[in-house]
Amino acid sequence: MRIAVFSTKSYDHTYLEAANTVHEHDLTFFETRLTLATAPLAAGHEAVCAFVNDVLSKEVLEALAEGGTELILLRSAGFNHVDVPAAEELGLTVTRVPAYSPYAVAEHAVGLVLALNRKIHRAHARVREGNFSIEGFMGRDVNGRTVGVVGTGKIGQVFLRIMKGFGCQLLASDPYPNHAVEELGARYVSVDELFERSDIISLHCPLTPETFHLVDEERLQRTRPGAMLINTSRGALVDAAATIDALKDGRLGSLGLDVYEEEADLFFEDLSERVITDDVFMRLVTFPNVLITGHQAFFTEEALETISATTMANATAYATGSGDLHVVTKGMVS
Ligand code: NAI
């Protein structure tokens, strides 16, 4: 198949080309994000391969369909950036990578917890300056803390298992409780109760209309004073502006983000020579108790191998009509 691959970096070339040796699709790599303006680049390609910040709105999908595209290959598990009903109306098939390394994301979330708790990001900066004072770096034992996980799917479960290893008390919230999670010793509670009782809250649910701004002003009022919030799932689960107020008055003790609602204009690019105009983001990075990474939780060798292999296999399954095709359909939650 002729596949137009958008939002590509050097690592995408490396891993997709390696995975493609057994499939022999014809890949055209574009560095640019897929938007309405760049959609014409895909003309003549039967498939478009897209990443998390590519725009797959109705208008973009229409433009792709007009250019001859039939298949959208997502290099992600999440599909909140795709207008799936519009794709179905246009006869476009959308596929994704339903599971790659859940460890990659869960371990990154744990990394944020540990770094924030013991101020490792600040210690690194101090030591580089020759400042060996530990004043202000006091943390708390993670052992014995109550950890609450919203969304106990593949990633949430790995996160819970790791935190159990630290000796934490476990709370969970999910519309579909999972017996394996209860066997770990986690207790399912409502999202509100989870916010009221947890010292560390980690979000691992998908972004849907129901979970948009799951963490808003009202929910932040419910947190235990000094609670830690970690979001490695999707930016719009959290109302970032509301976290600023909660951080200012100390209700939120610390915040770790790998995703940000307005990340599409920021993440994955080197903007160090430019003025960043997103005032909410810039305010967040000024807090000593906020740690932000630029959507790198998935970024391990194992994850990239699986993402690339599944993406190329999806293209082959579509082209040949045999093999597993991981289709996204209207009404799917995650
Ligand atoms: P999954 O589909 O295995 O689990 C998601 C869980 O969330 C399911 O158990 C589902 O029932 C639950 N859920 C759905 N609606 C909910 C709600 N309203 N409240 C609480 N729980 C709810 O997905 P997986 O693989 O664990 O991934 C979770 C999320 O992580 C993805 O949706 C994606 O947004 C994000 N992600 C982030 C990455 C990163 O690099 N930062 C990489 C990969 C995934």
Side-chain angles (χ1 to χ4, degrees):
M1 294 193 92
R2 292 198 67 206
I3 306 175
V5 191
F6 283 87
S7 294
T8 57
K9 302 288 179 197
S10 62
Y11 45 85
D12 295 305
H13 287 232
T14 307
Y15 281 86
L16 284 169
E17 275 168 358
N20 193 34
T21 51
V22 290
H23 296 277
E24 298 188 340
H25 295 295
D26 181 1
L27 308 182
T28 314
F29 291 98
F30 297 108
E31 276 182 38
T32 181
R33 273 171 61 211
L34 174 61
T35 62
L36 194 52
T38 62
L41 291 170
H45 294 79
E46 296 115 296
V48 160
C49 182
F51 198 45
V52 289
N53 289 327
D54 287 319
V55 179
L56 289 148
S57 61
K58 186 169 190 276
E59 295 71 26
V60 172
L61 293 169
E62 281 169 354
L64 294 177
E66 252 170 54
T69 297
E70 303 163 16
L71 175 66
I72 309 291
L73 299 159
L74 302 178
R75 305 199 295 283
S76 58
F79 50 87
N80 52 282
H81 54 311
V82 187
D83 187 336
V84 179
E88 288 187 0
E89 268 169 39
L90 290 161
L92 291 167
T93 300
V94 181
T95 67
R96 64 171 182 148
V97 182
Y100 43 99
S101 171
Y103 307 103
V105 183
E107 289 170 8
H108 191 79
V110 175
L112 293 174
V113 170
L114 298 182
L116 281 167
N117 180 44
R118 303 301 292 271
K119 287 85 173 163
I120 293 171
H121 54 304
R122 296 179 57 208
H124 178 62
R126 261 192 214 176
V127 168
R128 281 165 65 114
E129 293 289 319
N131 177 355
F132 303 103
S133 162
I134 60 169
E135 204 71 61
F137 287 170
M138 193 181 294
R140 298 191 68 181
D141 287 1
V142 174
N143 179 273
R145 302 259 78 79
T146 299
V147 170
V149 166
V150 182
T152 55
K154 293 174 283 297
I155 297 170
Q157 284 183 53
V158 173
F159 181 84
L160 280 167
R161 277 209 296 276
I162 298 172
M163 298 318 285
K164 184 179 180 177
F166 277 104
C168 295
Q169 307 297 315
L170 307 179
L171 295 178
S173 191
D174 194 306
Y176 303 98
N178 182 321
H179 187 56
V181 170
E182 286 169 325
E183 278 189 342
L184 271 180
R187 191 162 63 82
Y188 277 99
V189 293
S190 68
V191 180
D192 283 339
E193 185 177 346
L194 184 142
F195 270 73
E196 281 158 13
R197 292 185 180 273
S198 301
D199 301 300
I200 299 166
I201 299 160
S202 196
L203 307 180
H204 297 291
C205 58
L207 175 62
T208 63
E210 291 73 45
T211 61
F212 176 80
H213 284 189
L214 178 110
V215 183
D216 58 6
E217 175 60 35
E218 197 194 325
R219 209 148 251 152
L220 286 164
Q221 294 282 359
R222 294 179 179 271
T223 54
R224 280 189 163 186
M228 179 188 291
L229 174 67
I230 304 291
N231 185 11
T232 55
S233 204
R234 283 292 179 266
L237 295 177
V238 176
D239 178 352
T243 63
I244 291 176
D245 292 334
L247 285 159
K248 279 197 212 162
D249 67 23
R251 266 174 296 138
L252 202 52
S254 51
L255 176 66
L257 301 177
D258 184 55
V259 287
Y260 172 66
E261 188 168 359
E262 304 300 331
E263 70 177 51
D265 293 331
L266 300 171
F267 287 4
F268 303 114
E269 302 304 329
D270 177 0
L271 304 181
S272 53
E273 300 295 327
R274 302 215 204 137
V275 172
I276 293 175
T277 54
D278 183 329
D279 291 342
V280 171
F281 185 83
M282 291 316 285
R283 180 66 181 100
L284 281 175
V285 293
T286 66
F287 287 99
N289 48 353
V290 173
L291 180 52
I292 305 179
T293 52
H295 209 137
Q296 67 169 83
F298 74 100
F299 199 46
T300 65
E301 291 176 13
E302 292 79 1
L304 278 206
E305 274 165 18
T306 310
I307 290 169
S308 304
T310 308
T311 303
M312 291 298 101
N314 278 336
T316 301
Y318 178 85
T320 61
S322 70
D324 286 342
L325 187 64
H326 302 101
V327 179
V328 177
T329 52
K330 194 166 59 180
M332 261 169 79
V333 176
S334 67

